[in-house]
Amino acid sequence: LVRLRARLARSQNSLGKGLLTLLSREHLDEDTWEEIEETLLIADVGVAPTQELVERLRERVKVLGTRTPAELRGLLKEELVALVGTDFDRAVKTDSGVETPAVVMVVGVNGTGKTTTTGKLARVLVADGRSVVLGAADTFRAAAADQLQTWGERVGARTVRGPEGGDPASIAYDAVKEGIAEGADVVLIDTAGRLHTKTGLMDELGKVKRVVEKHGPLDEVLLVLDATTGQNGLTQARVFAEVVDITGIVLTKLDGTAKGGIVVAVQRELGVPVKLIGLGEGADDLAPFEPEAFVDALIG
Ligand code: GDP
């Protein structure tokens, strides 16, 4: 939590502090409530969730009468946690429940942090005693397979790769085959995220999915979104959700200039939980998403 707080504080993430300052005003007049709304909108929370939150806060502040800073912080925390959602299953499915390895496909636009996230996730799993095979199916970006293999060597996971510009689906197929042959626990497949045409993306990811499913079920499809891209990220999320069934979201670069409210907006948009967050470029900078800790860090 301390690290999360430090990382988020480094960003321009003063959502909670801004709200708390506004809420502490002696008179909560219409202008103040409008400023509160604005603060939430600027933080990427989205229009509908912002209105809901403000309505509930207004109601509760009215009922409360006296308002100490601690009471206000408590209210704000409760409402923000409720908005982020507490009833999602946020565990990444890395146990297939059968003999064969769990298969996790990582998708997203290039540059969002897919390869880095795949490497970090491999590290977490290996540290947890699981054996991992990596599939370098991002054959579009020249350096992606090298980058993934470097991660693999660092954490102790074999990387299955093909020729540059090769067929992503056949690499994914080979990776799962290798995972089965090795008796691995998890196969993580990094994919390419070209968004130039939706049909191109659909064809490619659809094909990867189909060949993986020749071996068994696809257990998890993680969509990686760069949190600093705000509304643009939401548009990307929509396109990917049309192409594959997303089961979880990874929000990267929350240590940057991102505004944490995007967590709320993207979950609403896809109806899928944020499962992991990226807090830096380093190997340890991937954390499970925990609503309470996240809101605590946001409020500061
Ligand atoms: P890909 O094209 O989606 O595979 O993206 P990469 O994994 O190559 O990441 C693109 C850049 O973003 C790299 O410089 C990464 O180090 C950086 N990156 C990835 N995740 C994070 C994060 O959580 N925080 C920060 N600050 N940088 C990140």
Side-chain angles (χ1 to χ4, degrees):
L1 177 62
V2 172
R3 201 159 61 94
L4 179 63
R5 190 171 286 165
R7 289 292 162 84
L8 288 177
R10 256 206 280 135
S11 71
Q12 292 160 10
N13 222 322
S14 56
L15 171 63
K17 283 189 203 88
L19 289 178
L20 276 178
T21 312
L22 287 167
L23 278 172
S24 315
R25 284 190 185 166
E26 206 153 324
H27 300 290
L28 288 174
D29 52 20
E30 281 307 315
D31 284 351
T32 306
W33 285 112
E34 255 171 48
E35 281 179 64
I36 290 173
E37 238 178 69
E38 249 168 59
T39 308
L40 288 161
L41 288 173
I42 290 170
D44 286 332
V45 171
V47 177
T50 292
Q51 282 167 353
E52 276 171 41
L53 180 77
V54 168
E55 207 168 293
R56 288 183 53 87
L57 267 179
R58 282 187 84 144
E59 188 57 35
R60 293 189 66 187
V61 167
K62 199 165 85 188
V63 171
L64 196 63
T66 59
R67 304 175 275 119
T68 66
E71 281 173 330
L72 288 175
R73 190 183 186 285
L75 279 189
L76 185 59
K77 184 179 166 183
E78 272 178 39
E79 293 301 335
L80 283 171
V81 169
L83 199 63
V84 169
T86 48
D87 47 4
F88 281 119
D89 178 6
R90 296 181 193 270
V92 176
K93 196 167 178 235
T94 54
D95 187 346
S96 64
V98 289
E99 287 279 297
T100 51
V103 181
V104 179
M105 182 162 130
V106 184
V107 306
V109 172
N110 286 334
T112 53
K114 259 187 324 314
T115 306
T116 309
T117 298
T118 309
K120 289 175 183 173
L121 186 55
R123 183 183 148 93
V124 171
L125 291 167
V126 171
D128 200 32
R130 325 285 304 280
S131 55
V132 176
V133 168
L134 297 170
D138 180 355
T139 56
F140 178 68
R141 189 161 65 84
D146 289 340
Q147 197 185 328
L148 193 66
Q149 189 164 359
T150 303
W151 273 102
E153 282 161 8
R154 214 195 296 172
V155 307
R158 184 192 300 280
T159 303
V160 174
R161 54 186 295 179
E164 195 181 316
D167 177 24
S170 82
I171 295 167
Y173 183 87
D174 288 347
V176 180
K177 202 168 91 183
E178 174 70 23
I180 293 170
E182 275 190 26
D185 297 312
V186 189
V187 177
L188 301 178
I189 299 170
D190 187 19
T191 62
R194 281 167 288 170
L195 259 191
H196 63 305
T197 62
K198 197 165 91 184
T199 40
L201 180 79
M202 201 173 311
D203 286 351
E204 184 166 312
L205 289 182
K207 201 169 152 206
V208 171
K209 182 176 183 306
R210 278 198 305 280
V211 300
V212 165
E213 286 174 342
K214 283 187 184 167
H215 294 293
L218 183 58
D219 295 279
E220 187 86 62
V221 179
L222 295 176
L223 172 66
V224 178
L225 289 178
D226 175 343
T228 61
T229 58
Q231 294 302 312
N232 211 344
L234 282 188
T235 311
Q236 292 172 12
R238 245 172 251 139
V239 173
F240 276 91
E242 281 177 39
V243 176
V244 275
D245 289 330
I246 310 292
T247 57
I249 300 155
V250 184
L251 270 185
T252 58
K253 310 188 192 180
L254 272 169
D255 54 307
T257 53
K259 308 171 194 108
I262 196 74
V263 169
V264 175
V266 72
Q267 287 186 159
R268 289 261 171 146
E269 181 69 37
L270 300 190
V272 165
V274 173
K275 293 190 168 179
L276 299 168
I277 53 178
L279 294 165
E281 298 185 80
D284 291 329
D285 297 328
L286 184 73
F289 178 74
E290 291 160 355
E292 283 227 17
F294 184 75
V295 168
D296 257 331
L298 271 187
I299 297 180

